[in-house]
Amino acid sequence: MNEEKKLDEKTLEKVTGGVDYDADFNYAEKMFIAVNCILPCRHEGLMTCPYGTDKKAAITKAMSEGGEICLKRELPDV
């Protein structure tokens, strides 16, 4: 009686509010961004990342240099 139903892509897009803008990033890259960029880095808000403005290329380069930690992250002044 209880049959599982799945939404099609078009309906799912409407329900979730649109497209996943982070679809270009894999899980490790998303975790790197969360730990190093979004809140803890001054460069993120000022858009002055030393690795460049292309976020995908910047994250790839930063990860290749420091692994899970961004070596050029600047903590915000408190």
Side-chain angles (χ1 to χ4, degrees):
M1 196 94 186
N2 188 6
E3 189 177 317
E4 185 178 324
K5 295 182 179 181
K6 295 185 180 183
L7 299 174
D8 62 56
E9 289 296 317
K10 195 172 187 177
T11 305
L12 186 59
E13 212 172 279
K14 289 178 185 175
V15 171
T16 60
V19 181
D20 179 9
Y21 292 104
D22 291 335
D24 292 340
F25 299 101
N26 63 36
Y27 179 77
E29 291 167 333
K30 288 178 183 180
M31 291 306 298
F32 181 92
I33 292 167
V35 170
N36 293 285
C37 305
I38 294 172
L39 289 177
C41 185
R42 290 182 69 219
H43 294 300
E44 180 75 10
L46 300 173
M47 300 179 76
T48 58
C49 180
Y51 292 109
T53 56
D54 177 354
K55 196 152 194 157
K56 180 68 174 173
I59 297 306
T60 301
K61 186 168 184 186
M63 289 178 76
S64 73
E65 290 183 5
E68 295 178 1
I69 303 298
C70 179
L71 301 178
K72 297 184 181 178
R73 179 179 65 184
E74 285 188 16
L75 299 177
D77 296 331
V78 179

